[in-house]
Amino acid sequence: MLDFIIKRLIQVVIVVFLALTAVFFLIRLSGDPTTLFLPPDAPREQIEEYRELLGFNRPLYVQYTDFMKGAIQGDFGESLRSGDDALGLVLERMPATFQLAFSALLLSIIIAIPLGVLSAYKRNTLFDKASVGITVIGQAIPSFWFGLILIFIFAAQLKLFPSSGGGSVNHMVLPVITLALYSVSRFVRFTRSAMLDVLNKDYIRTTKAAGTPTSTLIMKYALKNSLIPILTLIALDLGVLLGGAVITEAVFSWPGVGRLLHQSLMNRDFPIVLAGVFIIAIIYAVINFITDILYAYVNPQIRVK
Amino acid sequence: MRKNKVLITFLLIITMLLAACTEGTNVDGNSSSSSDSSSDATSQGPLVIGFEADATTLLANHDVNYTTDTLIRNIYDPLIDRDSQTAEFAPVLAEEWKNIDEKTWYLKLKEGVKFHNGADFNANAVKFSIDYILDESNGSFYRSRWANVEEVVVLSDYEVEIHTSVPFPSLIQRIAEDLLIMEPGYVEEVGIEKASSEPVGTGAYTFVEWSRDNHLKLKAFEDYWQGKPGIEEVEFRIIPEFSARMSAFMSGEIYLFKNIPVDSVKQFESNEVKQISSSRINYLALSNLVDGPLKDVKVRQAINHAINGNELLETVLSGYGSRITGPLSQLNSDYAETKEYDYAPDLAVKLIEEAGYSPEELTLTLDTPSGRYPMDSHIAQAIASQLQSIGINVEVRVNEWGQHLEKIQKRETGDMFILGWGPAFDAQSTIENLFTLDAPYSSFYQENIEKKIKETNQLFDQEARYAGYAKLQQQLVEQAAWVPLWQQADLYAVKSSLNFSPRVDEKMNVFEMSWN
């Protein structure tokens, strides 16, 4: 088991390293940040001076090794625009993004698992077909569009919730619903199929034949046994939710990491982008790591493989 | 049993993470009255203004970005401002100014003005603010514009002299457009970092709270030298998406925002839309620096005749804009009338043939940004189709804004590109930055024109200077240096409870607003 954990940890480090490397070179392909910071009438000498000051006139591999040296020590440099510590800015925004992602995850679980269980239990009824239909639509609707529709109906027309910004619980309602839409759809379908697998097993039929009440059958036997794959999906979906928060944060002006990254990319504020990628890659990799470890703990065959 | 343990462990991890995340977020937990969505806009609470982006810093004289400047002008005062409608210079913290000789300027300052922290405004504050720009180690993005300033000399508490290394006739423009006055004592005491997030100025509003990318809250400065502002509290709320800004406006959460897209104006009540002709111009650059047919003046003139600017303005921009015929907007103090290239496709074909081409053998590229200027990429497509109607092939290339700007700066665009410039109120800041060899923003260059620009820039005599720029405008139009398109219309959404008149310089000074 220890070997397995060490191997997986090494993989986490490699994933984060590769993500940083890829993004480092990709954002440099987007161009030179001095273009956007200096006034358009800045003379060439000043542009060159800034390029030198920021180190952008050095060969790319030198910039890369310098960046990696800093990154290993947790130093991603300062925002090119405001001069604030890049990693600090990202970490400052993390709670708002987590708040959004976890609330959406909770909402998804609360809605999706009962719905998925019921769908499986009442398979091929109208209820089942309706819920499967709704989940297909839910997965197909772009969250950007769905968010704007919610804003238009519930903020602009009905004035029930604020249209944007962060602050109270009221502010969270619409963005959380928007972000949860996709996950709810995925969870319902996954829970339904996991439950169907279990419900077809012999021991369930035997238990049912023995006259066990339906609620006990579902809660004690069927759901418990299908929960492991569902929990795995939920854990992995947290990464998806953190990623999906970028769009939702932009639509609802939610002051989280997604919006910070989006704006920093537009402004070519490289240090913030890289610090953000670093944090998100770590979260993603760690969630995967925990899931793998739990899986291996439950199923020793995985370790052997 | 083992499975149970796994489940419990897993759920515990999730619960702990959740608990960790729902505390200490930087989103304040109090729902302010302004964001209480169930209440409509009333003239009781704070004035909430929707903004597309946030300031990058609240320190004055550092970032040239429009958003930063617009927000912080409510906290800091300039020495000289522009009249909101005529763009003439207007005294603020400087009562009068004059040039002693070609390299020396004298400014007399207003007495009895206080900073928010109680400190007196005086000549030291002016010197400190200009020195901040000049000091390389501060990395101010304004520095290149002030490079001609040699020294600021304090003559007395309320008098300063500014010495320049070369004649610098446009110094007053720089003072009006760039310089805001900081409190030296405060900056030195708390340091740049804190002064950047908790600013102190002499402006109409004092700092209350800044939640980056979320909101900036200010309140009226009781001892403001022009009298207490009419609006008590202000919140600039950052809402990047236009649709979200529009919804916030409709639900009464915000009272004012700028930049309604021309194709969305109809969605607003007519009395809630205010417009003003901006001094920001849009143009189609014709490059004579790349090898190709545009090196020939006749081809450039032909393109001017082949493009129907009025039609573009009416159909694509729904009439929101004012046509220009030369390189300067009519709001520009050096504006001179120039001849207009009327729409004459037959003449265009004739000119192309005189240049030794046939329209069908011309293939030109047209670079355009997307979303930077009103309907920019649509305008590019429409221009392409107008040119195609006389046989010229046009390849439109749509770029992300940063990439577009970089292409222009590195002279990597092809034959034509769309760009905006401004808001500009004097000829020098436009012509010098567009038509000299070092200035990439027009891609048009002629040695004799650059020589004339340099001569005119040095002139101190107002009449001679005006005549020089008038001549230059005529020359540039004759040479068909570009296709002048229009002055943008700035479109604002304004609630009827707010008394707000748009300014020609796009600034939003809350002191000039009031509740109806």
Side-chain angles (χ1 to χ4, degrees):
Chain A
M1 187 70 187
L2 190 65
D3 284 355
F4 177 79
I5 291 176
I6 288 167
K7 215 157 78 179
R8 280 287 183 271
L9 264 177
I10 290 168
Q11 278 181 357
V12 167
V13 174
I14 290 171
V15 163
V16 174
F17 171 79
L18 287 176
L20 277 180
T21 303
V23 174
F24 177 90
F25 288 106
L26 277 173
I27 54 174
R28 268 162 178 72
L29 287 178
S30 73
D32 185 341
T34 49
T35 309
L36 294 175
F37 294 169
L38 294 171
D41 52 11
R44 279 173 207 278
E45 306 86 74
Q46 199 196 10
I47 294 174
E48 281 314 312
E49 200 179 287
Y50 265 88
R51 285 173 52 78
E52 185 163 347
L53 188 77
L54 301 168
F56 289 124
N57 58 350
R58 298 169 306 161
L60 206 52
Y61 71 90
V62 176
Q63 291 182 47
Y64 173 72
T65 45
D66 268 15
F67 160 72
M68 274 300 170
K69 275 181 203 161
I72 288 164
Q73 296 159 40
D75 176 14
F76 287 81
E78 292 170 345
S79 158
L80 301 181
R81 202 150 198 167
S82 65
D84 297 321
D85 177 56
L87 190 62
L89 278 175
V90 172
L91 291 174
E92 203 178 274
R93 297 298 191 83
M94 223 48 226
T97 296
F98 269 130
Q99 200 179 32
L100 204 58
F102 276 111
S103 307
L105 191 69
L106 264 182
L107 183 71
S108 306
I109 294 167
I110 291 165
I111 294 172
I113 291 186
L115 208 61
V117 169
L118 274 175
S119 265
Y121 188 71
K122 295 173 180 270
R123 66 177 169 281
N124 296 332
T125 60
L126 188 64
F127 175 85
D128 178 36
K129 284 177 176 151
S131 80
V132 170
I134 289 167
T135 57
V136 170
I137 293 168
Q139 274 187 286
I141 290 177
S143 59
F144 187 84
W145 180 84
F146 184 64
L148 288 177
I149 294 295
L150 288 185
I151 290 176
F152 184 73
I153 296 170
F154 294 100
Q157 300 297 323
L158 301 176
K159 301 182 184 180
L160 292 172
F161 300 104
S163 62
S164 59
S168 61
V169 173
N170 261 358
H171 283 96
M172 285 181 66
V173 177
L174 299 182
V176 165
I177 292 173
T178 304
L179 194 55
L181 175 76
Y182 185 79
S183 293
V184 166
S185 306
R186 266 164 57 101
F187 292 175
V188 168
R189 298 180 70 180
F190 196 84
T191 308
R192 182 180 174 274
S193 57
M195 280 291 288
L196 282 176
D197 276 353
V198 176
L199 286 172
N200 286 330
K201 294 257 189 304
D202 288 346
Y203 72 88
I204 295 283
R205 271 203 296 274
T206 314
T207 317
K208 198 173 176 179
T212 313
T214 308
S215 57
T216 315
L217 185 80
I218 289 178
M219 297 307 294
K220 195 171 170 185
Y221 297 101
L223 182 60
K224 211 161 85 176
N225 288 326
S226 44
L227 217 49
I228 295 280
I230 294 170
L231 283 177
T232 309
L233 178 81
I234 288 171
L236 291 177
D237 233 56
L238 183 59
V240 176
L241 285 171
L242 286 169
V246 174
I247 295 168
T248 311
E249 284 177 10
V251 174
F252 290 95
S253 318
W254 185 265
V257 175
R259 239 181 87 200
L260 178 71
L261 286 190
H262 179 247
Q263 280 176 336
S264 304
L265 265 172
M266 289 294 153
N267 293 337
R268 296 190 185 161
D269 205 334
F270 295 167
I272 298 182
V273 175
L274 287 159
V277 167
F278 171 72
I279 294 291
I280 288 173
I282 281 200
I283 291 169
Y284 226 101
V286 166
I287 289 171
N288 266 300
F289 170 75
I290 293 171
T291 313
D292 281 352
I293 300 298
L294 286 175
Y295 238 73
Y297 181 65
V298 173
N299 183 354
Q301 280 184 319
I302 290 173
R303 273 173 268 169
V304 178
K305 281 174 195 166
Chain B
M1 196 64 209
R2 179 188 269 186
K3 278 183 185 171
N4 273 347
K5 270 189 185 168
V6 173
L7 285 181
I8 289 162
T9 314
F10 198 90
L11 287 169
L12 269 175
I13 290 171
I14 291 275
T15 316
M16 276 158 58
L17 275 170
L18 263 175
C21 298
T22 44
E23 282 173 33
T25 64
N26 71 334
V27 182
D28 61 54
N30 310 316
S31 170
S32 65
S33 58
S34 67
S35 55
D36 181 1
S37 57
S38 57
S39 69
D40 225 340
T42 63
S43 51
Q44 303 306 313
L47 164 64
V48 187
I49 300 174
F51 243 75
E52 291 166 51
D54 200 356
T56 52
T57 173
L58 299 181
L59 192 70
N61 308 315
H62 188 84
D63 185 17
V64 293
N65 167 289
Y66 160 80
T67 311
T68 302
D69 184 65
T70 305
L71 296 182
I72 66 175
R73 271 176 189 266
N74 290 288
I75 301 168
Y76 302 94
D77 276 325
L79 291 178
I80 301 166
D81 196 4
R82 288 186 179 277
D83 180 274
S84 67
Q85 303 304 308
T86 65
E88 299 285 326
F89 292 127
V92 184
L93 293 181
E95 282 182 335
E96 53 185 91
W97 53 91
K98 59 185 181 198
N99 54 296
I100 310 287
D101 59 46
E102 289 195 344
K103 294 185 185 176
T104 314
W105 291 82
Y106 166 85
L107 286 92
K108 186 168 187 329
L109 310 175
K110 183 168 274 302
E111 298 183 27
V113 175
K114 293 264 183 215
F115 280 100
H116 301 156
N117 62 350
D120 286 323
F121 160 74
N122 55 27
N124 279 331
V126 175
K127 179 173 169 58
F128 178 86
S129 302
I130 297 176
D131 285 350
Y132 177 85
I133 295 176
L134 299 179
D135 184 345
E136 276 182 44
S137 65
N138 290 326
S140 165
F141 296 132
Y142 285 103
R143 194 161 53 84
S144 63
R145 293 180 174 180
W146 288 73
N148 294 338
V149 172
E150 203 165 50
E151 187 187 12
V152 182
V153 181
V154 174
L155 302 177
S156 73
D157 273 354
Y158 299 102
E159 290 174 303
V160 288
E161 256 181 18
I162 299 177
H163 298 181
T164 62
S165 53
V166 292
F168 192 16
S170 57
L171 177 68
I172 298 302
Q173 265 102 14
R174 294 278 54 88
I175 290 175
E177 280 162 33
D178 303 345
L179 187 68
L180 295 171
I181 304 303
M182 304 142 97
E183 208 283 87
Y186 176 73
V187 178
E188 279 158 5
E189 180 195 340
V190 303
I192 294 283
E193 198 173 328
K194 191 172 177 192
S196 304
S197 56
E198 294 177 26
V200 164
T202 61
Y205 287 86
T206 61
F207 173 79
V208 175
E209 179 184 75
W210 186 30
S211 165
R212 244 182 228 276
D213 281 347
N214 194 11
H215 61 245
L216 170 66
K217 291 179 178 174
L218 309 174
K219 71 173 195 293
F221 180 34
E222 303 279 340
D223 301 328
Y224 188 49
W225 61 275
Q226 294 193 70
K228 192 169 178 253
I231 291 173
E232 186 64 36
E233 290 172 66
V234 190
E235 180 187 335
F236 291 97
R237 194 173 298 171
I238 315 306
I239 310 175
E241 280 299 318
F242 164 70
S243 316
R245 273 200 304 283
M246 189 171 81
S247 298
F249 182 80
M250 285 176 166
S251 67
E253 291 170 65
I254 63 173
Y255 297 77
L256 167 68
F257 73 88
K258 180 174 171 273
N259 292 346
I260 307 173
V262 293
D263 51 351
S264 300
V265 175
K266 287 191 180 72
Q267 298 178 50
F268 293 81
E269 303 285 335
S270 58
N271 67 341
E272 289 186 331
V273 176
K274 290 198 177 179
Q275 67 163 313
I276 194 166
S277 194
S278 163
S279 189
R280 190 185 293 273
I281 54 169
N282 291 181
Y283 58 90
L284 176 73
L286 305 175
S287 176
N288 70 343
L289 293 171
V290 292
D291 279 334
L294 295 188
K295 276 186 168 309
D296 192 318
V297 65
K298 286 194 166 161
V299 179
R300 295 198 303 270
Q301 287 170 337
I303 287 175
N304 268 276
H305 282 299
I307 291 173
N308 187 342
N310 292 328
E311 185 185 61
L312 294 172
L313 186 57
E314 287 311 315
T315 54
V316 186
L317 288 175
S318 314
Y320 291 109
S322 333
R323 284 280 284 134
I324 51 170
T325 55
L328 301 184
S329 84
Q330 295 194 24
L331 285 163
N332 202 297
S333 56
D334 296 309
Y335 169 79
E337 209 161 302
T338 47
K339 76 158 189 172
E340 184 174 1
Y341 285 91
D342 51 342
Y343 177 57
D346 296 343
L347 178 57
V349 173
K350 191 165 154 281
L351 284 165
I352 289 170
E353 284 166 349
E354 281 176 19
Y357 300 95
S358 76
E360 289 73 17
E361 65 180 290
L362 296 184
T363 298
L364 304 175
T365 57
L366 198 175
D367 280 278
T368 177
S370 179
R372 177 73 182 182
Y373 308 111
M375 306 300 280
D376 45 17
S377 58
H378 299 263
I379 296 288
Q381 299 289 357
I383 286 173
S385 93
Q386 287 183 349
L387 293 177
Q388 269 153 357
S389 69
I390 64 160
I392 300 173
N393 298 304
V394 180
E395 182 201 333
V396 176
R397 300 189 294 209
V398 181
N399 308 309
E400 176 266 327
W401 167 242
Q403 189 194 14
H404 185 72
L405 196 59
E406 196 170 334
K407 263 175 142 179
I408 291 169
Q409 289 185 341
K410 292 185 171 168
R411 298 205 188 283
E412 288 170 354
T413 58
D415 306 290
M416 309 185 284
F417 59 81
I418 281 180
L419 196 64
W421 190 265
F425 299 98
D426 66 296
Q428 183 172 346
S429 64
T430 302
I431 290 179
E432 179 180 42
N433 288 312
L434 291 165
F435 302 107
T436 51
L437 191 57
D438 279 346
Y441 300 105
S442 80
S443 277
F444 174 86
Y445 175 73
Q446 276 182 354
E447 206 175 331
N448 61 331
I449 287 182
E450 167 147 3
K451 194 161 159 279
K452 175 86 178 152
I453 291 171
K454 293 214 159 131
E455 282 167 14
T456 312
N457 284 352
Q458 302 290 321
L459 294 174
F460 253 85
D461 179 76
Q462 280 305 313
E463 274 181 36
R465 200 173 158 86
Y466 179 81
Y469 287 130
K471 181 89 182 88
L472 274 165
Q473 289 168 70
Q474 317 290 358
Q475 269 180 300
L476 289 163
V477 171
E478 277 158 26
Q479 286 299 315
W482 59 7
V483 181
L485 295 173
W486 38 74
Q487 287 170 225
Q488 281 181 206
D490 286 334
L491 293 162
Y492 296 81
V494 190
K495 284 281 177 205
S496 53
S497 56
L498 180 69
N499 180 15
F500 163 78
S501 302
R503 292 174 57 107
V504 289
D505 57 8
E506 303 180 21
K507 294 188 169 59
M508 290 193 187
N509 297 343
V510 182
F511 184 70
E512 295 162 8
M513 305 176 200
S514 60
W515 297 118
N516 277 326

